[in-house]
Amino acid sequence: MQLDLGPQTDEVIRIVTGVRDGQLDDPTPCEGTPVAGMLDHLMGLSLAFRMGAEKTPLDGGASASASALDPSWRSELPARLDALAAAWRDPIAWEGFATVGGASLPAPAMGGVALNEVLLHGWDLAVATGQEYRPDPASVEACLALVTEMNEPGNEELRNGQFGPVVPVPPSAPSLDRLLGLAGRSPSWPSR
């Protein structure tokens, strides 16, 4: 299944442009990762998953270090997110395997992981900076299906290290809230 990452990367670009300099040290839902660290992580993952789509894997993973944030992030991150979406629009990206951060997966699975990373960390950045988050509904549904499968018995190895403990969310909650809970995030962050 081919996904279009563009509607979701566009939303994250909107969030990125709304980040104020005075918010860079503010906390995010990812414990120990301030806004600047989340921006650094988005910079790295957007490049790594683009390279995975292009079948030219990048050595190493995406850091989440506030001190490593590229000073040109305001222009560079939107460009990287656009390039990420463009790379996954190429049908070849969805063929065979894709390698990101040393992990190889069937390309459709890696494309889903890329979308999930952008969507979840976009939410992290939005709530940390007090912005309304309007994720792409089709992306939310695709990510919910992926993370639900990762939480099925027998898939613990897939989930380990990816997310914190599941946060209980009512089954009648909106899809985004259910996705957040399965990914170890409280939909009502920062109130716990």
Side-chain angles (χ1 to χ4, degrees):
M1 169 177 66
Q2 227 175 296
L3 303 167
D4 183 3
L5 280 66
Q8 188 55 50
T9 57
D10 287 347
E11 173 62 4
V12 176
I13 290 168
R14 184 185 70 77
I15 297 300
V16 167
T17 61
V19 175
R20 298 184 313 275
D21 288 341
Q23 296 176 312
L24 294 177
D25 293 328
D26 290 353
T28 68
C30 294
E31 193 171 328
T33 304
V35 168
M38 186 58 62
L39 290 164
D40 178 58
H41 188 58
L42 282 163
M43 289 273 290
L45 74 84
S46 59
L47 177 62
F49 281 100
R50 186 202 90 207
M51 300 291 286
E54 294 171 350
K55 311 298 190 216
T56 53
L58 186 66
D59 289 336
S63 72
S65 170
S67 63
L69 180 60
D70 185 325
S72 64
W73 65 269
R74 287 195 180 278
S75 59
E76 186 64 24
L77 182 51
R80 285 187 184 190
L81 288 164
D82 278 339
L84 171 68
W88 283 99
R89 284 189 183 112
D90 185 339
I92 293 171
W94 298 91
E95 296 175 3
F97 281 77
T99 302
V100 176
S104 286
L105 292 174
M110 193 64 82
V113 171
L115 179 61
N116 192 59
E117 287 282 315
V118 170
L119 191 146
L120 288 175
H121 292 312
W123 179 84
D124 293 332
L125 192 59
V127 297
T129 58
Q131 298 183 65
E132 179 187 359
Y133 195 49
R134 300 185 302 255
D136 170 55
S139 296
V140 171
E141 293 303 326
C143 291
L144 179 58
L146 173 75
V147 176
T148 297
E149 184 178 333
M150 290 175 75
N151 278 279
E152 292 292 323
N155 288 342
E156 293 82 6
E157 187 175 315
L158 291 174
R159 188 184 194 290
N160 285 345
Q162 299 294 312
F163 311 118
V166 170
V167 174
V169 175
S172 60
S175 295
L176 178 61
D177 289 0
R178 289 183 283 136
L179 169 63
L180 293 170
L182 288 172
R185 289 158 168 83
S186 172
S188 61
W189 190 90
S191 61
R192 299 188 192 260

